[in-house]
Amino acid sequence: MSRRDLRTTEPEEPRRILVTGVGGAPGLDLALTLLKLGHEVIGTDSHPLAPGLLAPGITARTIARADSPLYGADLMELVHDLKPDALICCVENELPQLVHLRGHLERAGVRTWLPPADTVTAAGDKWDFHQAMRGARVPTPQTWLPEEIDRVPEGIELVVKPRRGQGSKDVYFCRSREQARRSDTP
């Protein structure tokens, strides 16, 4: 079967798919694509005005943020009420919670495509991720921790970012070690 055939093949049976994070482009785009393919889409987000919650055809549900103690209960209540066939996560900071809930989701009949817990842990911390990539012999940019700033060769431009976070928040481009030292101050 060619790639073209895969894109135009109709699904054998429409599925009910829960897509998290329909307030962001990845979740919204995925949800709309799944709708076009004939699937029923349950879209979740923590913000009640998230674009995907307002999109026609999506069964919209607001749930607690992933960093809330209510997240797991909210999600499992939704799963038991709406009985999705599968869940696709489009929000990085939901992954640790979802990995923890994997067994509950499986027992509820929800298929997931979640990485192993140690992968989620490593990917959530940029230094740990760098170390994992180096261990796997994947080329990565030279990386230093803040306490190693004096080891950075002079004249190297730096990208300074927090160990945890996403969406380029608090990322600074620095032309010197001195700028890098001050990048965490307003």
Side-chain angles (χ1 to χ4, degrees):
M1 186 177 279
S2 73
R3 272 188 176 187
R4 184 166 184 263
D5 293 336
L6 287 173
R7 286 184 297 202
T8 59
T9 302
E10 294 297 319
E12 291 180 24
E13 177 182 330
R15 303 281 185 202
R16 179 177 287 179
I17 303 173
L18 192 160
V19 178
T20 71
V22 295
L28 177 57
D29 290 346
L30 176 61
L32 295 175
T33 298
L34 290 168
L35 281 174
K36 286 179 188 173
L37 291 172
H39 297 288
E40 182 179 341
V41 175
I42 302 162
T44 66
D45 204 278
S46 63
H47 195 289
L49 297 178
L53 298 179
L54 307 173
I58 293 176
T59 301
R61 293 294 185 273
T62 303
I63 63 171
R65 290 171 42 109
D67 57 1
S68 166
L70 301 176
Y71 176 83
D74 273 7
L75 182 72
M76 292 311 298
E77 182 179 345
L78 185 149
V79 163
H80 290 295
D81 289 349
L82 299 179
K83 302 187 181 345
D85 298 306
L87 179 148
I88 302 173
C89 175
C90 295
V91 180
E92 178 184 346
N93 66 350
E94 289 180 337
L95 287 172
Q97 290 271 20
L98 291 172
V99 166
H100 177 72
L101 293 169
R102 185 189 329 249
H104 297 290
L105 292 164
E106 287 174 2
R107 285 188 290 283
V110 180
R111 297 174 70 185
T112 62
W113 189 25
L114 297 169
D118 60 341
T119 301
V120 170
T121 300
D125 181 303
K126 291 172 183 67
W127 177 254
D128 289 347
F129 184 73
H130 170 72
Q131 296 300 319
M133 292 297 96
R134 286 189 62 185
R137 297 181 177 245
V138 175
T140 62
Q142 182 61 47
T143 302
W144 296 273
L145 291 170
E147 59 270 15
E148 301 172 323
I149 194 75
D150 290 326
R151 294 177 43 202
V152 176
E154 283 295 333
I156 289 183
E157 293 186 5
L158 301 166
V159 178
V160 178
K161 51 175 76 175
R163 285 181 68 164
R164 297 187 179 280
Q166 62 188 43
S168 298
K169 185 177 180 189
D170 298 321
V171 174
Y172 301 98
F173 295 89
C174 301
R175 294 181 183 257
S176 69
R177 292 187 301 212
E178 191 56 35
Q179 278 185 331
R181 278 188 189 93
R182 290 189 274 155
S183 64
D184 62 349
T185 58

